Structure formats: C-alpha cells, structure tokens
Amino acid sequence: MPDAEAAAPRETYFIAVAGNMNPAIHHLLWYRTIGAIDEAELKAALQVPFNQTSALLSQVQFGSPPFLITCQPEQWWIQSSDENAWPRMLEITSLVFARLNETPVTSYALTAQKHIDTDSQDTKSLLATSLWELNLGLPKGKSTASNITLSVIEEDFVVHASLQASGLSERAIFVFYQHLYQAPQTPKRAPGGGYFDLGVLLKGRFEKYRVAVDRVIGDMVAAVNARAARGRGNE
C-alpha cells in the first residue's frame, strides 16, 4: 500500500457555497447540460465508482487532474489539488449558480490548504515552543500536536487562517487560509427579483484573495524557517 505522504494530496483548493441546496439536482448529466463538463469528461466520469447523487448527497468527480464537486442540503463545494484549476472552478461555480439563481445563498468562501516542507526537523516541537514563548500560560514539553488558528474581520469578509504540524512529514507544516463572505442582502423588489450574480462576486474577489493567500502562506513558511535557523544557531 502507498504511504500517507505518497497518497495524500499536498495541496487542495476549494470554492464553497452555503445555503439551501438540493443535492438531487447535482448529477453528472445536469453538469453536462449546463456546460460545466464536456462529453468526454462525462463519459469518463460515468465510470468512476463513487460518483453518486441522492436527496442527501451528490458527489461527482471528473476531469484530469480531477475536480470533485460535493453537494449536501446546506452546502455545495468544488475542489481540486491543482492550483491552476482556479479559473475553471470559478467558471463552474458561476455556471451552477447562474442556473440555480433562486437558490437561497447565505455565504461563500475561497479556501486553500497546503502541506509544505520547511527547514525544521521537528515542526511539532518548533510550533509548541513558539506558543510557549508567548507567555500565555501554555504547558511546555514534548509536543504531539500544535495548532495555531486565527480569525479576523477585514472589510466585509472574515479571514480564517491556521498553522499546524503536518501529518505527512516531521519537517512539514499544514497551512489553511480562507476568505469567508456573507451573501449580499438584496431587496426583494430589486431588479432580478432579489437575487445576485455569485459568479460576478467571486471573480471580482478572487484576485485580492490570491494575492493575500500567497503572501500569508509565504510569511508562515518564512517564519518557521527563521525559527528553525535560530534554533540551529543556539545548539
């Protein structure tokens, strides 16, 4: 069997939409009908064993590298392990919610998570020591797990970020970065019947998200590497 490091994707990217969803709609033929996938992708996807659609869960995988779309009664999301897949994920999300423009949407999010190798030989201990040095009363000792999570409000969205030791390697960190947006409150008598174009909003926000995620994750890696270098200097 392949080991965990070989089997697990080191990067995953998501667009998630929360609201009142109907999973039974989200089957492969429907995605083909709205132009989200082509005929070749449909034929290949029909051979994927775990693709399923029911009243409580829809899960469809297609493409190469693969996209995975999941729909549950309270949330829909699309994901890929390929960073270059962002433009198509944005386009598919736009197509889906342009067709389902009466779906009540409460929030939507852009998310990235990555396992990244660092210069530290033991990221669990490095992060635990970093937390202990904040003098917040946390215990000091041999660490089995360390997790730093922060949520902050910026303008009209919330940033969720976390940094922890990766389960794939002693040298790796696992980083998570998300922008969470509340759906606009559109008056019922507004043009369009009180609905909004989710695709336009996502595409308008993506460039700012892309710049922020690259900067924040780059800063996390640089900080871990700097602490690892100081630790070696003190040995």
Side-chain angles (χ1 to χ4, degrees):
M1 293 181 64
D3 59 28
E5 186 166 2
R10 295 186 69 89
E11 303 180 2
T12 313
Y13 307 92
F14 302 85
I15 299 174
V17 183
N20 187 7
M21 306 297 171
N22 180 3
I25 294 174
H26 295 263
H27 53 80
L28 282 166
L29 290 174
W30 183 78
Y31 285 107
R32 176 69 185 104
T33 298
I34 68 172
I37 62 177
D38 61 29
E39 192 65 26
E41 289 174 327
L42 172 63
K43 290 179 180 178
L46 288 171
Q47 306 305 312
V48 177
F50 68 77
N51 281 346
Q52 59 176 307
T53 302
S54 71
L56 296 179
L57 174 68
S58 170
Q59 190 170 57
V60 297
Q61 178 177 297
F62 58 89
S64 179
F67 295 85
L68 177 62
I69 298 178
T70 305
C71 185
Q72 297 175 343
E74 296 181 353
Q75 191 175 49
W76 176 97
W77 68 93
I78 183 170
Q79 67 188 75
S80 175
S81 59
D82 182 2
E83 189 170 14
N84 295 320
W86 275 117
R88 191 172 179 197
M89 289 201 298
L90 289 165
E91 186 59 34
I92 290 172
T93 305
S94 299
L95 286 169
V96 168
F97 288 94
R99 182 60 65 93
L100 302 177
N101 66 343
E102 295 188 3
T103 297
V105 171
T106 57
S107 63
Y108 55 100
L110 299 166
T111 304
Q113 58 186 40
K114 298 185 178 185
H115 298 267
I116 304 173
D117 288 331
T118 72
D119 296 337
S120 171
Q121 298 302 311
D122 183 357
T123 55
K124 294 186 184 72
S125 294
L126 183 147
L127 294 176
T129 300
S130 301
L131 288 169
W132 179 78
E133 290 176 352
L134 293 175
N135 294 319
L136 296 175
L138 297 171
K140 183 179 182 181
K142 176 63 177 177
S143 174
T144 59
S146 302
N147 187 355
I148 303 167
T149 301
L150 180 66
S151 297
V152 296
I153 297 174
E154 289 194 7
E155 300 175 8
D156 60 342
F157 61 95
V158 178
V159 177
H160 297 291
S162 68
L163 167 63
Q164 64 189 76
S166 168
L168 300 185
S169 164
E170 293 294 321
R171 297 180 53 245
I173 55 173
F174 175 73
V175 295
F176 172 94
Y177 188 80
Q178 179 187 80
H179 284 188
L180 175 63
Y181 310 92
Q182 294 301 308
Q185 298 299 311
T186 309
K188 293 295 183 183
R189 296 184 180 179
Y195 304 109
F196 61 93
D197 190 326
L198 180 59
V200 169
L201 290 178
L202 277 169
K203 291 174 182 178
R205 292 182 182 274
F206 176 71
E207 184 59 27
K208 184 173 184 178
Y209 172 80
R210 186 193 64 78
V211 172
V213 70
D214 289 347
R215 174 181 56 80
V216 171
I217 291 180
D219 287 350
M220 288 181 181
V221 175
V224 170
N225 287 341
R227 292 194 68 89
R230 289 199 298 271
R232 290 192 299 271
N234 293 331
E235 292 176 353

